[in-house]
Amino acid sequence: MLGTGRWWERVTRGLVGAANAYVWHPVAAKILIGTSALLLEDKHLPSPAEMEPVAAFLFGVVGMIACQAA
């Protein structure tokens, strides 16, 4: 679904997704760690440095989807 559209639409989606991931990954990592704390013991929780790449990927995809929807 994200691979469709004209070339400039795909480039725009990629840039919006990258910007979204860059801006929101520190906050999203803390939210994901807090959510994980509900399910995991403290010794098994990831550090913010371990969770930031996951958060960046998730928020990048969310940004691309929001851009496509708009």
Side-chain angles (χ1 to χ4, degrees):
M1 178 175 162
L2 289 173
T4 60
R6 295 184 174 91
W7 68 269
W8 56 270
E9 292 172 335
R10 293 191 305 260
V11 169
T12 303
R13 275 195 306 263
L15 292 174
V16 168
N20 196 31
Y22 179 75
V23 170
W24 290 107
H25 78 275
V27 175
K30 292 177 184 176
I31 292 170
L32 289 175
I33 291 171
T35 305
S36 298
L38 299 173
L39 303 173
L40 301 173
E41 297 175 9
D42 288 341
K43 65 181 181 180
H44 297 295
L45 287 176
S47 68
E50 294 171 335
M51 190 57 83
E52 282 183 0
V54 175
F57 174 78
L58 292 175
F59 270 71
V61 171
V62 168
M64 290 175 70
I65 293 170
C67 181
Q68 184 171 0

